[in-house]
Amino acid sequence: MEFSKNIGEYDRKIRLVAGVVIAFWGVYAQSWLGLIGVVLLVTAFLRTCPAYSVLKMDTLEKK
């Protein structure tokens, strides 16, 4: 199953920064909530967000 890309460059950068911060905080605090950071990182690298697909949204810049 292949998802179409629906995350734009600005959204991707925000997800990368937030993902790193939340993941490191989760490791530091020994909290399972740090997994949210991992989810943000995965969606940033794949450039697709399943929630956006369900909501019929995208943040891709139109050319």
Side-chain angles (χ1 to χ4, degrees):
M1 178 179 219
E2 185 176 326
F3 293 102
S4 60
K5 293 180 180 179
N6 59 7
I7 295 178
E9 195 60 35
Y10 183 70
D11 189 2
R12 184 175 185 228
K13 288 176 184 176
I14 291 172
R15 287 171 185 263
L16 286 170
V17 171
V20 168
V21 169
I22 294 170
F24 277 121
W25 174 81
V27 170
Y28 175 76
Q30 297 178 354
S31 171
W32 288 100
L33 293 176
L35 289 176
I36 294 171
V38 174
V39 170
L40 289 173
L41 289 171
V42 168
T43 58
F45 284 114
L46 295 177
R47 297 194 68 158
T48 186
C49 178
Y52 280 7
S53 296
V54 170
L55 297 172
K56 307 272 191 251
M57 293 176 50
D58 71 42
T59 58
L60 284 173
E61 294 81 18
K62 305 298 182 209
K63 293 182 181 182

